[in-house]
Amino acid sequence: MLNKIKKPFLILAPMDDVTDTVFRQVIADIAPPDIFFTEFTNVDGLQSPGRVRVQTKFKHTKKEQPLFAQIWGIDPEKYQLTAEQIVNGEFGEFAGVDINMGCPVKDVIKNGACSALINDRELAAKIIKATKDGLQGKLPISIKTRLGFNEVDYTWHEFLLKQGIDVLTVHGRTKLEMSKVPANWDHINEVRKLRDKISPSTLIVGNGDVKDRSHGLELAKKYKLDGIMIGRGIFADPYVFSKDTPWQRMTPKQKLDLYEKHVKLYAKTWQGTKPVQILNKFCKIYVNNFEGASEVREKLMAAKSTDELLELIQKIKT
Ligand SMILES: Cc1cc2nc3c(=O)[nH]c(=O)nc-3n(C[C@H](O)[C@H](O)[C@H](O)COP(=O)(O)O)c2cc1C
């Protein structure tokens, strides 16, 4: 699948509680990336009686393709089982599996998961091997990580590149830096050079502070990267992956139409199982950059149900 995609390719970054199936469907309709990722999904949860609830993070439609399933956890056996189930189609159609080795959130790393694996290479190697065993070469394996834990640490990337992985996404910050400093693309470039030496067939994706498509393509060219991943850029412009970004020219009605589409799809998809307040972060994405936008947002964010929210949107539009 990966060799069919034109390089440099653009990926919509996984963002927990943001890039669910609803948001991905809206983006797929207006300005799709080349690859989607799911939110990070815990392998222990997937292999537990709570599976039904956890696997909502894997929910997707045919529109959101190609789609990589992003997983995290600390138990190699659960990774293997999950990878086998993904390959067997138990969760629908996926184009690849990505392991989160970059999340810096305290609660996640205190158990040794995600970016904590940077300091536990023995376990990281077991997790990668178990996942590869589960995938049986039928789907590509990808890793998303950072520049290092407390400091930039190329020995980590060297180690990863020796594990026979298909894709390596590097977010240009250390775990310690969280999102507090600008992403450092010179360091991403050094990882790309290591890739050239150690594992030429592994695709390298750069991530961090990319504003839009043309910015991403510029960085890919400058640093000779195979792909670019964009996350928060989509908060400022839902058309971030389009060649011509029409967002600044769109009328308030057109922006509200898009929010209405999102709310309708959210109501239909989640059927009241998720609170209406989650939609407020999307309200900020769609309802902005026009006169009176903040007053409109204030009204919409007070809605107590999706029905009330849809009524309010209708009223404001007319
Ligand atoms: C709200 C939010 C949720 C995130 N959730 C995830 C996640 O589930 N998995 C992951 O690998 N990264 C996650 N990230 C990190 C992003 O994928 C990305 O690496 C980071 O935001 C830097 O890229 P950007 O500057 O383009 O946003 C999250 C980021 C944000 C802002």
Side-chain angles (χ1 to χ4, degrees):
M1 165 263 150
L2 282 169
N3 47 16
K4 286 193 207 131
I5 292 188
K6 201 172 148 261
K7 295 188 198 76
F9 48 82
L10 298 172
I11 305 176
L12 173 58
M15 290 189 280
D16 196 39
D17 275 340
V18 179
T19 56
D20 69 345
T21 179
V22 173
F23 192 45
R24 292 194 307 256
Q25 285 177 66
V26 174
I27 299 305
D29 279 345
I30 61 173
D34 299 303
I35 299 174
F36 292 92
F37 270 47
T38 67
E39 302 158 86
F40 75 152
T41 306
N42 183 263
V43 291
D44 291 312
L46 284 173
Q47 303 307 329
S48 77
R51 178 187 182 122
V52 175
R53 187 179 47 82
V54 178
Q55 79 180 54
T56 55
K57 288 195 186 289
F58 273 177
K59 196 173 169 73
H60 61 274
T61 63
K62 283 203 160 54
K63 266 187 200 174
E64 311 140 62
Q65 292 292 347
L67 176 64
F68 273 58
Q70 193 190 58
I71 53 178
W72 70 283
I74 48 167
D75 183 344
E77 211 177 297
K78 307 263 170 64
Y79 275 93
Q80 180 162 350
L81 274 173
T82 303
E84 278 167 12
Q85 291 161 359
I86 289 172
V87 164
N88 292 341
E90 284 186 33
F91 302 109
E93 186 191 343
F94 284 103
V97 170
D98 180 83
I99 304 175
N100 183 322
M101 294 195 177
C103 178
V105 172
K106 252 195 206 140
D107 278 351
V108 163
I109 59 171
K110 75 172 183 230
N111 296 319
C114 296
S115 66
L117 290 165
I118 299 172
N119 292 331
D120 190 348
R121 311 228 168 143
E122 205 183 317
L123 181 58
K126 281 185 190 154
I127 286 173
I128 296 170
K129 183 177 181 304
T131 308
K132 285 175 73 172
D133 286 349
L135 294 175
Q136 303 151 57
K138 290 179 183 161
L139 285 177
I141 180 167
S142 143
I143 307 280
K144 180 168 180 278
T145 192
R146 290 185 170 241
L147 293 175
F149 197 76
N150 286 329
E151 56 207 25
V152 178
D153 181 359
Y154 297 131
T155 68
W156 169 237
H157 309 98
E158 268 173 26
F159 160 83
L160 290 175
L161 287 163
K162 286 177 183 158
Q163 307 302 310
I165 55 173
D166 299 294
V167 187
L168 176 61
T169 299
V170 185
H171 174 187
R173 296 182 179 93
T174 63
K175 175 260 158 198
L176 188 67
E177 289 168 338
M178 306 289 279
S179 294
K180 291 177 192 150
V181 300
N184 187 318
W185 285 75
D186 290 326
H187 290 312
I188 296 175
N189 190 35
E190 292 305 312
V191 177
R192 191 271 306 159
K193 287 186 200 160
L194 281 176
R195 182 281 311 267
D196 294 350
K197 267 195 246 151
I198 300 170
S199 179
S201 64
T202 301
L203 303 177
I204 298 284
V205 176
N207 168 237
D209 303 337
V210 180
K211 288 189 202 75
D212 54 29
R213 180 191 180 90
S214 62
H215 183 212
L217 295 181
E218 207 177 284
L219 289 165
K221 190 168 174 201
K222 183 167 173 192
Y223 298 115
K224 301 192 178 74
L225 303 170
D226 302 292
I228 295 288
M229 178 181 273
I230 304 181
R232 292 162 302 166
I234 206 143
F235 297 165
D237 182 355
Y239 287 80
V240 76
F241 293 107
S242 69
K243 283 187 184 135
D244 156 46
T245 63
W247 190 241
Q248 302 303 329
R249 302 190 302 272
M250 280 172 67
T251 63
K253 181 177 174 304
Q254 286 172 317
K255 293 181 175 183
L256 282 163
D257 281 345
L258 205 54
Y259 186 37
E260 184 178 30
K261 175 178 169 141
H262 188 119
V263 175
K264 280 185 177 164
L265 203 52
Y266 184 90
K268 189 173 150 211
T269 305
W270 301 122
Q271 307 266 348
T273 57
K274 288 194 182 190
V276 66
Q277 285 76 17
I278 286 194
L279 285 165
N280 289 349
K281 67 182 82 161
F282 296 99
C283 186
K284 286 186 205 150
I285 297 178
Y286 299 112
V287 185
N288 65 25
N289 266 310
F290 59 84
E291 224 186 295
S294 72
E295 287 80 12
V296 171
R297 276 201 306 271
E298 209 176 305
K299 275 187 203 150
L300 296 177
M301 285 184 177
K304 300 272 181 300
S305 67
T306 46
D307 284 346
E308 187 190 339
L309 182 51
L310 288 168
E311 256 174 53
L312 279 168
I313 295 174
Q314 273 304 324
K315 247 193 232 161
I316 291 165
K317 278 203 301 186
T318 49

